Each structure stands twice: as C-alpha cells, then as structure tokens.
Amino acid sequence: MSGTPFTFEGKAAMMERALGSAGISILCQDARLSIFYAENLPPYFAARFMPGGTDAGLFGDIHGQYLTALKHKVLETGIPNNAEVEIDVDGEMRTYELKIQRTGARGTHGLLSVMTEVTESRHREKVLKSLLRELSHRSKNLLAIIQGIATQTARNTLSLDSFLLKFRGRLQSLSNSQDLITDSSWRGAYLFELAEKQFAPYWPETSGSMPIYGINAHLTPNAAVHLGLALHELIVNSASYGAIAGGAASITLNCREAAIGDRRAIEIAWAEVLQDQSEVHEFSDNSFGRTVLERVVPSSVNGKAELNLVPGRIEYRLTIPETEFEIFKRI
C-alpha cells in the first residue's frame, strides 16, 4: 500500500517476518500518531486507510480514542504495549490484537504496530472458560450429592462393612449415570440407556431383556443423576429381597406422558411383584432408600413421587416436569 516509506532502523527484518505470516498487518505512525505507512491490511481497514490518517479514521472514534491514549503512553515511556479492538465487519464482530512498540532514535520516535486477527482464538477461549465454569458448578453439585449419600448411608447402617457395601454401590450408580452424561457432552441421558446401565450389574441373564417400556425421554443431567439414584435403590432392593433375587422377571419400568398442574410432564412408573407375595423390602420409614425415593429425587427435579408398599407388591411413580426432559421420538 502506498505512503511514506518505512525508514525506522532495525525494523526491516521484523516487518519481513510479520508479513510472512498469514493475517498479519503493519501500521507505522510518526510522533504525532499520523499513519504514514500500512501493509497487508484486511479489506475492512484497507478501505479506510489513507496516508496521514489517524486511528479514529481506521478503527472508529471509540477505539481511536482508546488507541491514541495508549500509543501516547508508549511514545512517552518506550514500554511496548498490547491492545485489542472488536470491530463489526458486515454484521460479524471480529477481534484484532495490536502489538505496539516505539521505534526510531531520540527526536525521531515513531510507532510500529503489528496487527493480527484473533477472533477464533478469543472465541475458543470464551467457550473454554464457559465450559470450565460449568464443570466447576457440576463438580460442586456432584460433591454435594456424594457427601449427602455418605452421611445418610452412615446414619442408616450399623456396621462398617454394611456401610462400605451400600456406599460403594451408590457411588457406582452415580458413576454409571455420570458416564452417560459425560459421553453426551453434558447434555444429559436417554431414559432407556440410563435404566439399562443401572439394571446391568444386577439383572440375571436368564431373565431375558430388561423390562423397560414407554417413552425414551431425554433427561437433563440433573434428572439423569437423580433418577439413576432412585433406580439404584429399587433395583438393589429387588436384587436383595425381591423379584430379581427370586429370578422372576416380574418387574416393569414404564414411562408415559403426564402432567403436573398445567405443566407437561412424564411419569416413570416402577411395578414389582414379589415372588412369595410377602412384604419384603428395605424401605422402612427412616431408611435412606425411602428418603431418596420420596424426598430427595422428586425435590431435586421439581416433581413429585409416590411409593406404595403393599403385601407382595412395590410400586413407585416419579413425575418429572418438562423443564427436566425432552421427547425426541415417541415409540
């Protein structure tokens, strides 16, 4: 681009290296901050450049005032500095970084600015920061859940061996749900996959396919974690005392559309017939399992739940509002 030749000593090699890199531009200014030379400017800036122009003419008034103040300081102190400006180019915000340094001998000082577009890298940095904040938030929530599991399990067990057995099982349940959530890039988990993951360690191969029916709703991460805990309590009880322990496939897990007031919802229903028709379960009034099913899980998903224990049968219904799920396909 035409203009006053660049004559500052010792900068020719720097310019050559800079212009050899894609997306690098050069601006040269005298002590009055008049731009007398520019090279390799992007079209947006090239259309606005004229020899003797100012930063305001090139970058706009607001950015021009900011850059003028910053460049005066570099001229006065000789200390290099960096600046970033965001420019609306055809409706798209683009970010440019300027590396500014004083050049020339005393009495003939000027400025050399090397400008690079950093839009993509800044976007990646923003996305990464957002993901890290989300990860930190979810990690804190997960630790709070683990702390609650540990505390409540300890309150409802009489021996260390019993505590370790139950606590490890609940942690594994949490881990299984978390695996599905992580695999989906923290978008959540499908109900059928979540239930299969929870059933898998306990379901006997001789019992055929797992008894999961209805709508395969996609659950939010929060709903997936807490429903996973509820299913774990039901499945472990069945594997210890109920239908799974008896080898009978008399369990159904069904999901259907429902409502909570005027809000759309899904109802997830567990029905288990006990082989000996006697009321055998771990869900005493003060048990952790019952607390999870009736209080912790429905509260965590802003839904409601009902646990019915009758001789020979266990029924559990959990209603989850539409804020905690999506239905992509109805079966």
Side-chain angles (χ1 to χ4, degrees):
M1 191 169 286
S2 62
T4 305
F6 184 81
T7 58
F8 294 147
E9 296 179 1
K11 302 303 177 185
M14 178 186 295
M15 282 189 60
E16 186 176 349
R17 290 193 301 271
L19 292 173
S21 302
I24 302 295
S25 306
I26 292 291
L27 290 174
C28 300
Q29 293 166 275
D30 59 24
R32 295 171 300 174
L33 299 187
S34 175
I35 303 173
F36 65 83
Y37 183 85
E39 188 69 44
N40 204 36
L41 290 177
Y44 174 88
F45 297 103
R48 288 159 176 75
F49 171 75
M50 63 175 58
T54 65
D55 287 312
L58 203 59
F59 296 98
D61 290 338
I62 295 177
H63 293 313
Q65 293 174 14
Y66 162 64
L67 290 172
T68 297
L70 184 66
K71 289 179 177 181
H72 274 306
K73 187 174 181 180
V74 173
L75 280 172
E76 292 169 5
T77 64
I79 301 173
N81 211 332
N82 297 339
E84 282 193 9
V85 294
E86 276 194 328
I87 305 292
D88 186 340
V89 180
D90 297 328
E92 179 183 353
M93 297 304 297
R94 297 186 182 179
T95 306
Y96 296 88
E97 180 185 52
L98 287 87
K99 295 183 177 181
I100 307 161
Q101 63 176 296
R102 191 175 73 183
T103 188
R106 183 182 295 275
T108 61
H109 287 154
L111 289 176
L112 170 68
S113 299
V114 178
M115 185 171 73
T116 313
E117 183 174 357
V118 293
T119 305
E120 291 301 321
S121 61
R122 294 299 178 265
H123 175 69
R124 287 194 296 270
E125 288 172 6
K126 289 178 181 178
V127 171
L128 180 59
K129 287 179 181 178
S130 176
L131 288 174
L132 289 174
R133 285 195 297 268
E134 179 71 9
L135 179 60
S136 175
H137 173 70
R138 293 187 183 280
S139 296
K140 289 176 182 177
N141 285 347
L142 199 58
L143 288 173
I145 292 171
I146 293 171
Q147 184 179 30
I149 290 173
T151 301
Q152 293 298 327
T153 302
R155 286 178 180 173
N156 290 277
T157 52
L158 301 177
S159 69
L160 178 60
D161 288 343
S162 177
F163 166 80
L164 290 175
L165 180 65
K166 293 181 178 182
F167 182 61
R168 287 169 180 162
R170 286 162 179 159
L171 278 188
Q172 186 59 55
S173 166
L174 194 61
S175 175
N176 290 339
S177 300
Q178 201 64 38
D179 284 344
L180 294 175
I181 295 168
T182 303
D183 289 345
S184 71
S185 300
W186 298 88
R187 290 190 294 269
Y190 282 97
L191 170 61
F192 285 16
E193 292 179 359
L194 178 70
E196 288 169 359
K197 197 87 168 176
Q198 296 296 333
F199 267 115
Y202 305 96
W203 191 251
E205 295 181 3
T206 56
S207 296
S209 60
M210 297 175 190
I212 307 165
Y213 307 101
I215 300 169
N216 190 15
H218 187 268
L219 305 169
T220 65
N222 176 62
V225 164
H226 287 93
L227 178 59
L229 291 174
L231 290 175
H232 174 75
E233 297 303 322
L234 292 164
I235 292 167
V236 168
N237 178 75
S238 182
S240 300
Y241 308 104
I244 296 177
S250 53
I251 295 173
T252 57
L253 181 68
N254 191 39
C255 177
R256 66 177 184 86
E257 293 187 74
I260 298 179
D262 58 354
R263 292 186 299 168
R264 193 168 64 101
I266 54 172
E267 181 188 79
I268 299 168
W270 169 284
E272 177 181 2
V273 177
L274 305 178
Q275 191 174 23
D276 61 3
Q277 298 296 299
S278 62
E279 188 177 0
V280 180
H281 55 76
E282 279 196 334
F283 304 129
S284 61
D285 290 343
N286 296 318
S287 72
F288 177 64
R290 186 162 191 163
T291 300
V292 166
L293 295 172
E294 293 186 323
R295 294 168 51 190
V296 175
V297 172
S299 174
S300 298
V301 299
N302 295 312
K304 61 181 183 178
E306 182 181 358
L307 176 65
N308 291 319
L309 306 170
V310 297
R313 190 173 179 86
I314 296 175
E315 295 179 349
Y316 178 68
R317 290 183 176 85
L318 174 66
T319 308
I320 300 175
E322 60 186 343
T323 53
E324 296 286 348
F325 72 88
E326 291 181 277
I327 299 175
F328 296 122
K329 182 179 180 181
R330 289 171 171 80
I331 298 177

